[in-house]
Amino acid sequence: MANDKALLQEKFSKDYDKYYLVDLFKRKGFVRKQCENCGKHFWTLRPEKTRCDDQPCSPYSFIGDPPTKKPLDYVSSWKTIEDFFVRNGHTIIERYPIVSRWRPDLYFTVASIIDFQRIEGGKVVFELPANPLVVPQMCARFNDVPSVGVSGKHYTSFCMVGQTAIANKDGYWKDRCIDLDFELMTKEFGIPEQEISFVESVWTGAPGAFGYCLEYFVRGLELGNAVFTAFEGDITNYREMKEPIIDMGAGLERFSWITQGTPTSYDTTFAPVLAKMQEACKVEYDRDLFKIG
């Protein structure tokens, strides 16, 4: 499977004009580079960059030095996202249960797109209650447990902001998706345009449906991943979907973190709780430790 995915990535990247070159890149003058460390292709407004912003190719450079002068707490970050997408014609959907009882092949909701997936005939089909929509979906990621408290960004349960649309007359496709996400980061969160880069990738996480994607980063931190679910079948035998699906997932905790530049994302998500714990325990952790590397 890993080799098949790598071959698929190679195929999409060779035809990047078709799959990854969106209107924003042409309008703003993004240049396409290949990372000297991992070999991934990425898009940037800084032609001098030789490495992508994915880890371990680039370290976090926002801790103690956030790229915006607009610090937002966890709740304010969601409110900013919600208001932006409502103004841009999206319906806000209440989150689904974290136990994914509508997916017989899963126990827990591991991503926002799971809300709108049903399994029929051994493959996934999509049912959207609105088009386009945004949902603040709580997700469980038990495979991340060993990294919790080590990386400063991993959670056993986190909120994935899901931006979803069907590419038809009511929804939109990749150009509009990337335009919206770029505007959210720059105009709403105040992140300078040159701080944002996009890494080419593929996503194969659903039975019988997959696509290519653009992961967007700021100073080494992935904020979101815009997946363009365009194909059905398996990655060795597939066809284009009649109605492709936008599946953008972004960690809400990271949006708050990038604006504050705190040592860990826990400092922004659980700020009142941590303050109370430190007061009660009379313990301070080494904040400078997280600036290393």
Side-chain angles (χ1 to χ4, degrees):
M1 177 63 74
N3 289 336
D4 288 341
K5 185 175 179 180
L7 290 173
L8 191 64
Q9 177 68 74
E10 182 179 1
K11 177 180 179 180
F12 288 153
S13 289
K14 282 183 178 179
D15 201 2
Y16 67 87
D17 281 351
K18 177 178 180 180
Y19 296 112
Y20 297 113
L21 180 59
V22 293
D23 285 348
L24 178 79
F25 297 168
K26 291 182 282 188
R27 292 199 317 270
K28 295 290 186 179
F30 276 81
V31 293
R32 185 174 186 258
K33 308 275 288 185
Q34 185 169 19
C35 180
E36 67 178 9
N37 188 53
C38 71
K40 293 180 181 178
H41 290 90
F42 65 99
W43 298 81
T44 178
L45 289 171
R46 293 179 169 175
E48 73 278 4
K49 285 178 68 69
T50 59
R51 291 193 173 201
C52 72
D53 279 319
D54 202 355
Q55 290 190 327
C57 302
S58 295
Y60 293 154
S61 60
F62 67 93
I63 294 177
D65 183 26
T68 173
K69 296 181 180 179
K70 189 178 181 180
L72 295 172
D73 62 21
Y74 184 72
V75 175
S76 298
S77 293
W78 164 245
K79 187 62 177 176
T80 299
I81 294 170
E82 180 183 36
D83 290 347
F84 172 78
F85 280 108
V86 168
R87 292 199 311 271
N88 283 279
H90 293 66
T91 300
I92 306 299
I93 303 297
E94 291 189 7
R95 70 187 192 187
Y96 282 45
I98 202 166
V99 177
S100 55
R101 54 180 179 266
W102 58 92
R103 279 284 300 269
D105 57 327
L106 291 177
Y107 289 112
F108 299 99
T109 306
V110 296
S112 58
I113 195 63
I114 299 299
D115 297 350
F116 317 118
Q117 293 178 344
R118 307 294 181 264
I119 302 297
E120 294 183 4
K123 70 175 186 178
V124 68
V125 296
F126 296 88
E127 295 181 355
L128 273 62
N131 184 33
L133 64 81
V134 168
V135 58
Q137 180 58 48
M138 295 305 299
C139 300
R141 290 280 180 90
F142 296 110
N143 57 318
D144 287 339
V145 170
S147 299
V148 173
V150 177
S151 71
K153 69 178 180 180
H154 285 91
Y155 292 73
T156 53
S157 180
F158 68 100
C159 182
M160 180 180 288
V161 177
Q163 171 195 359
T164 306
I166 303 175
N168 58 24
K169 63 181 179 65
D170 298 315
Y172 52 78
W173 191 227
K174 57 186 177 182
D175 288 331
R176 177 63 173 159
C177 175
I178 296 300
D179 276 349
L180 285 167
D181 297 344
F182 192 73
E183 183 178 347
L184 174 67
M185 288 185 283
T186 56
K187 294 185 178 180
E188 302 299 319
F189 281 88
I191 299 171
E193 293 183 353
Q194 67 271 17
E195 297 280 5
I196 302 168
S197 66
F198 297 84
V199 175
E200 297 176 8
S201 189
V202 296
W203 179 85
T204 58
F210 64 92
Y212 49 99
C213 58
L214 286 167
E215 302 168 340
Y216 48 88
F217 292 79
V218 176
R219 294 195 184 179
L221 180 65
E222 180 186 348
L223 291 181
N225 184 13
V227 178
F228 311 117
T229 309
F231 306 106
E232 56 186 8
D234 61 62
I235 59 180
T236 59
N237 181 23
Y238 59 88
R239 59 187 177 276
E240 292 189 0
M241 297 172 64
K242 292 182 179 179
E243 291 188 326
I245 302 289
I246 291 285
D247 167 24
M248 195 292 294
L252 176 58
E253 295 82 3
R254 297 186 184 185
F255 272 89
S256 180
W257 190 20
I258 200 73
T259 69
Q260 294 192 33
T262 54
T264 74
S265 65
Y266 316 131
D267 293 289
T268 60
T269 305
F270 307 115
V273 177
L274 289 177
K276 189 67 175 179
M277 290 174 61
Q278 291 174 9
E279 179 184 355
C281 299
K282 309 299 181 186
V283 173
E284 288 287 341
Y285 67 85
D286 185 356
R287 293 174 178 269
D288 290 334
L289 176 65
F290 294 90
K291 297 179 183 179
I292 298 174

